[in-house]
Amino acid sequence: MRLIFLPLVLGATLLSAQGAKAKPTTKPAAKAASKTNPDAEAARQAFRQVLDAVDAGWFGQPYQGITSVQMQGTLGVTLSGAAVNQKVDSLSQGQVKGNSQGGQANLRVKGIYFANGDFKTDLAGDFGTMLYTRRGNRGFLYSKEQNAYTTRVDLPPSDAPTTFMTWFRQTLNDIRTVYVDAPTFQPSLAGEDSAGGRTVQRIVFNAPTQPWDAKKREQSLAQSLGFWKRGRLEVTVDKATKLPQRLEFRNDEQGVQTRMDFSYGAGGKLQSVNVGNSSRGFEGPGWLRLGYGGDGLMSNVAGELASQDKRISFAMDLAWSKTRTAADIAAIPPAGATKRGREEMETQLLVGLAGRIFDLQRAGLNLRSVAISGK
């Protein structure tokens, strides 16, 4: 399980390691021809240097030998009445019209995550109290309120690393494979400018998409998370340090458009990211802030992404370790709990969510009486 809060910020917006493999859209001969283009090769080389600088400045040696991280903090979700009612209509396939004034959900999160994909997450708050774990090929999701669990959980990746230094580098390599090594994107250098007394260079990768298609929101998870594998990426880079200063990405077909501005501290460590998100359905600002301990490791991370009708925010403290083992992860659910199928469990959690947060049941919605869409 790749962590939600810690990945490379570039990867958080443009990357999912579990996404589908990008399919080349040009013939091998075109790939060979592109490598003879001096401008394209210069752009590829410049981006390789960017990824190397990110590896050294954002992550790198401090994470050598680190096998696990403990995370503790809060997660909040706020939805307007319009957003809730739209979700109700979608879940019920038009059978029920919501009548909600909106709602807010707050969670306390505590967990331990290993670079190899093992994890344990405790959630408590407006969603109820849940325990979600996986160790090797075994795991479960347990709801205290229902005293029930399901063992149908996603399996770890087959190439899982053992340390977070390797984990971060795999993330960067995923980006390198798509943008530098594969023929999908056409790279180019878009010139140089002066900004804040520094010389910055702009690198562009372009793989045109079709126009906006609302149906792209109803597709497989791999396709949805693979949105970054086509589109237009422009990176503005400090020519001296090779660190990215601004990132602009758009995929018109899936309605994704975002801009990210980066700021740094000593040694090239990422300090903050300001986000301008114009993606359909989530237009609005966002930010990410990071803090570091004396050992050079990230000690806390907080962020927020907002739009007109929804807001997601989080704040986490981090504690890294070289010595913790998967023995800290429960291998079996609590005694006396009832086993359920995954779909049934998810439906019951939705019922609880409706009752606890959005008062939808009092508005006449009974999720048990409507069809739950798997999309």
Side-chain angles (χ1 to χ4, degrees):
M1 175 181 180
R2 298 230 168 191
L3 302 184
I4 298 174
F5 306 109
L6 294 182
L8 165 66
V9 176
L10 179 64
T13 303
L14 304 181
L15 170 67
S16 167
Q18 280 76 36
K21 297 287 185 181
K23 295 182 179 180
T25 57
T26 57
K27 296 179 181 180
K31 178 179 178 180
S34 69
K35 288 195 173 183
T36 65
N37 184 325
D39 181 65
E41 271 306 293
R44 290 190 181 95
Q45 179 59 27
F47 196 55
R48 290 187 192 101
Q49 293 173 343
V50 171
L51 295 179
D52 290 341
V54 167
D55 178 39
W58 296 16
F59 309 123
Q61 289 301 318
Y63 297 91
Q64 185 174 19
I66 298 292
T67 57
S68 70
V69 58
Q70 284 187 323
M71 300 174 60
Q72 186 167 344
T74 59
L75 172 66
V77 180
T78 302
L79 296 177
S80 70
V84 175
N85 294 335
Q86 183 180 20
K87 187 64 175 177
V88 171
D89 182 72
S90 174
L91 286 173
S92 66
Q93 299 180 350
Q95 298 179 45
V96 178
K97 297 298 181 182
N99 186 26
S100 173
Q101 300 302 308
Q104 189 172 21
N106 293 291
L107 284 173
R108 296 181 301 280
V109 182
K110 183 178 181 181
I112 180 170
Y113 305 88
F114 290 84
N116 69 356
D118 292 338
F119 67 90
K120 174 185 176 183
T121 302
D122 289 287
L123 302 172
D126 291 323
F127 286 117
T129 302
M130 290 181 286
L131 172 62
Y132 186 30
T133 78
R134 186 183 65 214
R135 190 172 74 187
N137 293 328
R138 300 178 60 188
F140 62 89
L141 172 63
Y142 169 77
S143 167
K144 180 179 179 181
E145 284 71 22
Q146 299 180 37
N147 193 29
Y149 69 95
T150 177
T151 57
R152 287 183 58 190
V153 298
D154 296 328
L155 297 180
S158 59
D159 61 344
T162 57
T163 71
F164 275 99
M165 185 176 75
T166 305
W167 187 93
F168 288 129
R169 286 180 177 171
Q170 279 191 359
T171 301
L172 293 172
N173 285 337
D174 289 337
I175 298 173
R176 189 192 312 266
T177 296
V178 172
Y179 284 90
V180 176
D181 300 334
T184 307
F185 285 88
Q186 295 301 313
S188 62
L189 296 176
E192 297 181 1
D193 298 296
S194 180
R198 297 170 300 181
T199 300
V200 296
Q201 183 181 46
R202 288 179 289 122
I203 311 168
V204 174
F205 291 85
N206 193 33
T209 69
Q210 298 296 319
W212 160 249
D213 184 355
K215 292 182 179 179
K216 292 297 180 181
R217 295 299 177 117
E218 298 180 0
Q219 58 185 352
S220 72
L221 182 61
Q223 287 176 303
S224 295
L225 294 179
F227 70 87
W228 62 280
K229 296 179 178 180
R230 292 197 67 86
R232 185 182 189 276
L233 170 68
E234 180 172 329
V235 186
T236 302
V237 180
D238 185 317
K239 196 170 181 181
T241 66
K242 307 301 181 184
L243 288 169
Q245 307 298 303
R246 171 172 288 186
L247 179 152
E248 296 176 85
F249 176 83
R250 65 183 301 155
N251 177 322
D252 292 330
E253 187 173 22
Q254 292 184 257
V256 178
Q257 182 176 350
T258 189
R259 187 192 73 245
M260 305 168 70
D261 292 291
F262 306 93
S263 64
Y264 298 91
K269 290 192 178 300
L270 182 65
Q271 296 291 317
S272 65
V273 184
N274 289 323
V275 180
N277 195 20
S278 300
S279 300
R280 287 179 180 259
F282 222 127
E283 298 87 345
W287 54 267
L288 184 73
R289 304 288 183 268
L290 298 98
Y292 298 84
D295 54 6
L297 301 171
M298 284 181 280
S299 59
N300 56 78
V301 58
E304 181 179 280
L305 193 61
S307 69
Q308 184 176 1
D309 57 3
K310 59 181 76 74
R311 175 179 287 106
I312 300 172
S313 60
F314 65 89
M316 296 286 161
D317 292 325
L318 313 175
W320 306 84
S321 174
K322 297 180 179 180
T323 59
R324 296 190 195 101
T325 70
D328 295 328
I329 298 177
I332 58 175
T338 302
K339 185 175 181 179
R340 289 182 179 158
R342 184 167 179 170
E343 290 79 8
E344 181 185 5
M345 187 82 167
E346 290 173 349
T347 300
Q348 292 301 316
L349 290 174
L350 280 172
V351 171
L353 175 65
R356 286 173 175 272
I357 305 171
F358 303 126
D359 285 336
L360 296 182
Q361 288 179 317
R362 275 185 274 175
L365 171 67
N366 183 349
L367 285 176
R368 292 184 179 89
S369 67
V370 299
I372 303 299
S373 171
K375 294 181 179 180

